[in-house]
Amino acid sequence: MQAAAVATALGILLWAEAGRSAGDEAREAAAVRALAERLLGPRRAADFAVSVERALAAESGLDTYSLSGGGAARVRVRGSSGVAAAAGLHRYLRDFCGCHVAWSGSQLHLPHPLPAVPEELTEATPHRYRYYQNVCTQSYSFVWWDWARWEQEIDWMALNGINLALAWSGQEAIWQRVYLALGLTQSEVDEYFTGPAFLAWGRMGNLHTWAGPLPRSWHLKQLYLQHRILDRMRSFGMTPVLPAFAGHVPKAVTRVFPHINVTQLGSWGHFNCSYSCSFLLAPEDPMFPLIGSLFLRELTREFGTDHVYGADTFNEMQPPSSEPSYLAAATAAVFEAMIAVDPDAVWLLQGWLFQHQPQFWGPSQVKAVLNAVPRGRLLVLDLFAENQPVYTRTASFQGQPFIWCMLHNFGGNHGLFGALEAVNRGPAAARLFPNSTMVGTGIAPEGISQNEVVYALMAELGWRKEPVPDLEAWVTSFAGRRYGVAHPDAGAAWRLLLRSVYNCSGDACRGHNRSPLVRRPSLQLNTTVWYNRSDVFEAWRLLLKATPTLASSPAFRYDLLDVTRQAVQELVSLYYEEARTAYLHKELATLLRAGGVLAYELLPALDRVLATDSRFLLGSWLEQARAAAASEAEAQLYEQNSRFQLTLWGPEGNILDYANKQLAGLVAQYYSPRWQLFLEALADSLARGVPFQQRLFDKLVFRLEQAFVLSSRRYPTQPQGDTVDLAQKIFLKYFPRKVAGSL
Ligand SMILES: *[C@@H]1O[C@H](CO)[C@@H](O)[C@H](O)[C@H]1NC(C)=O
Ligand SMILES: *[C@@H]1O[C@H](CO)[C@@H](O)[C@H](O)[C@H]1NC(C)=O
Ligand SMILES: *[C@@H]1O[C@H](CO)[C@@H](O)[C@H](O)[C@H]1NC(C)=O
Ligand SMILES: *[C@@H]1O[C@H](CO)[C@@H](O)[C@H](O)[C@H]1NC(C)=O
Ligand SMILES: *[C@@H]1O[C@H](CO)[C@@H](O)[C@H](O)[C@H]1NC(C)=O
Ligand SMILES: *[C@@H]1O[C@H](CO)[C@@H](O)[C@H](O)[C@H]1NC(C)=O
């Protein structure tokens, strides 16, 4: 029965895809050729003959590529779709040329002539879908992007074989049309939307109003971007997922329609009801299908459709009732509003709610939601499957198709972290689960551009039937490709990282990167980590040892900086422990020494080394936000959105430091002053013999935090100083002093 339901879902989607014509094969091939030119330059791209042939996947219907030629001839890359051809091109670059494509910069030294493929190599993915994005990625990573940056990302997606992805830009512009048509005033609409950096939560009904309003120019620019994004995704044969109505409405709807039946939901994320407690329309209210279909009709009129729609009614939101009949009605209403406009609609649902509030979502509540939509028409993202899979305890989502997703990252934090063993085993185990309805793999981080090794593995698993057999060998070759040359010390460093920071398992992974460095100081900070810190320090030593050979590799310099950053993060924990112990034992001299190193030496040194790399600059981060603006007033709004997101998150530190980043400028002007204030407060407490008062400190430190957010100070957007030189200085100073002691 389950298999049949999945077949139905796939049937619908394949039907939609079958509508693509021979002309689309040519269009998709052209898109991949253009990608190759962007990636390799026109001269080297000409060494590849790319074609798209649907017939390649005739038997399985699953994306397939085939590679042949090379040597004296051109390399022939054939794919059953544009995405499949792009994935084939990437496979060739990776496995035959030792190249590496990454967010932090690619290593694309192609051999002359191109290596021959000795025997035609044909590969079919076992997964119907390779999905990408989390609703939150839109806010934590993509928010300020222009087309040039989107283009790079869509190229990255195609090369990694992604064929299903959110395309959620510009939806507020459509909602604005709908609300105005319903009779809301412009100021009511403006009051409803959040600022750009918080739209992800506005869209899920968690927030409204906060950090807004959205300027007119924002809507125009996002509409423009969304058209280009969709056009490019479709040109590769990807399926973009559009948003749909989930049931949340602005309060002002009740002014226009006084008899409308809405329920005010509870607050979210420590925000008060000025910014949260959104209004949910009752599923039986006749306005539900009306608003839902008005939106979808207007959206698809503007953008066309590929028949998959995302909507999340209860994401981190407690439903007003736990009655299964209510939950079923609320779910069915969303789906019915979809099919009223698009009879072929498939609903993509984030399964996050089920694992986020397991006490609410008992078996009958989960069943009510999953069974309210016809089998095969609800496609569930098992969003955090590497850590808290839901398919195992819901009989494979009650027979609804699901995608095994790796979430990995929260808030775009920088700390080194990964559960590579669990990720490696997860998808294959999910496919073998009894009566499994798994139809794909997914990459669903809240923020990107960190811990690239984890994403490289997950992307590869999208095309593998079995786990990677030997992860040690895999990371060793990953390092070789990344730096363009296999180096024994770099390989050894990566194997140490694999067995430590990248081998998290179970509960230990949940609190990752809550390092004292990026947290508001207190005497209660938890310094426990799931790995042996010595492994990080030793990896640091080995990378420095490899520096004379590898220093010209941009990816190596990035990693050297990233591991230096991590080592400093570890050192901050160690000095913090020492300072805390000294304080508790009332040893003022030791407190001043250890605390002084932390606040006045280590953090400034970290800031200086981060400042050497354009990928770790607060200045660039904020400039990106300002560059998205059309006036100085907008630039100020966007910059403040960005500063809030990095630090206080809400007006009162509502989700304090959740989206922390280790950027030059942020360390010097935000994390450092906090630690200095803390150290002074502790020293003062010992000197005067009065107890340290956390509550008083919190009040004082909030002023510093707020001052940072409200400041308009400019930061450099150009790197300064030499990474290797400064990393070495930190190493020479601290490795013998602290590290050797703990080794
Ligand atoms: C919510 O918090 C904001 C900012 O902290 C404050 O200005 C507002 O009055 C509060 N609203 C309510 C309803 O308490
Ligand atoms: C309003 O909606 C709720 C939730 O669906 C329902 O229980 C209630 O009966 C409705 N009230 C009216 C007056 O229709
Ligand atoms: C799998 O499905 C079959 C056919 O519906 C059923 O008989 C069997 O009990 C299911 N197995 C499990 C473990 O749920
Ligand atoms: C990761 O940790 C597990 C135990 O949790 C262990 O069995 C495995 O060997 C480790 N993997 C590596 C690569 O160190
Ligand atoms: C510190 O964190 C670790 C790992 O997350 C956890 O096991 C431990 O209970 C925590 N310790 C305290 C005192 O909260
Ligand atoms: C951490 O690694 C070091 C060096 O390999 C070793 O001496 C030490 O015993 C390890 N510590 C733990 C807690 O395993």
Side-chain angles (χ1 to χ4, degrees), residues 416 493 496-497 499-502 529 531-543 562-571 731 735 739 743:
L416 297 186
L496 285 170
L497 295 176
R499 77 172 195 197
S500 56
V501 289
Y502 290 121
V529 288
Y531 49 88
N532 187 337
R533 288 197 167 96
S534 302
D535 287 342
V536 174
F537 293 132
E538 182 60 11
W540 188 28
R541 189 182 71 80
L542 287 166
L543 286 183
D562 206 16
V563 172
T564 301
R565 182 201 55 64
Q566 186 73 21
V568 171
Q569 176 177 313
E570 310 298 352
L571 288 164
F731 177 82
F735 191 82
V739 179
L743 270 175

Side-chain angles (χ1 to χ4, degrees), residues 95-153:
D95 289 359
F96 290 82
C97 306
C99 290
H100 179 65
V101 176
W103 289 312
S104 61
S106 299
Q107 186 284 105
L108 292 164
H109 296 296
L110 286 185
H112 278 281
L114 288 175
V117 182
E119 210 176 307
E120 178 161 37
L121 187 160
T122 301
E123 195 84 72
T125 165
H127 306 117
R128 182 70 199 82
Y129 293 110
R130 283 85 50 206
Y131 167 79
Y132 176 47
Q133 290 182 33
N134 181 304
V135 169
C136 303
T137 334
Q138 304 266 334
S139 288
Y140 285 130
S141 295
F142 307 162
V143 49
W144 312 116
W145 283 4
D146 56 11
W147 168 244
R149 185 61 188 84
W150 269 111
E151 179 170 61
Q152 269 178 28
E153 196 69 6

Side-chain angles (χ1 to χ4, degrees), residues 421 472 498-499 503 505:
E421 294 269 13
E472 290 210 341
L498 170 66
R499 77 172 195 197
N503 194 23
S505 67

Side-chain angles (χ1 to χ4, degrees), residues 174-193:
I174 307 297
W175 271 121
Q176 171 164 282
R177 288 182 203 161
V178 170
Y179 294 141
L180 293 175
L182 285 171
L184 274 72
T185 65
Q186 183 65 50
S187 63
E188 285 170 335
V189 174
D190 287 344
E191 196 193 291
Y192 180 61
F193 292 134

Side-chain angles (χ1 to χ4, degrees), residues 159-241:
L159 290 163
N160 284 296
I162 306 293
N163 65 349
L164 182 70
L166 303 185
W168 281 29
S169 304
Q171 58 180 288
E172 285 71 26
I174 307 297
W175 271 121
Q176 171 164 282
R177 288 182 203 161
V178 170
Y179 294 141
L180 293 175
L182 285 171
L184 274 72
T185 65
Q186 183 65 50
S187 63
E188 285 170 335
V189 174
D190 287 344
E191 196 193 291
Y192 180 61
F193 292 134
T194 67
F198 301 93
L199 285 173
W201 302 277
R203 292 165 180 173
M204 294 187 286
N206 308 125
L207 288 181
H208 55 84
T209 315
W210 167 236
L214 293 175
R216 304 287 163 278
S217 71
W218 175 265
H219 291 304
L220 285 175
K221 185 166 178 190
Q222 297 306 310
L223 280 176
Y224 156 79
L225 282 174
Q226 173 77 346
H227 276 288
R228 294 203 77 165
I229 290 164
L230 287 170
D231 187 51
R232 182 58 58 81
M233 285 183 175
R234 287 171 180 152
S235 77
F236 284 120
M238 289 175 193
T239 301
V241 180

Side-chain angles (χ1 to χ4, degrees), residues 52-71:
V52 170
E53 302 162 30
R54 296 270 181 267
L56 258 185
E59 271 174 41
S60 61
L62 295 166
D63 268 341
T64 305
Y65 59 76
S66 117
L67 302 172
S68 57

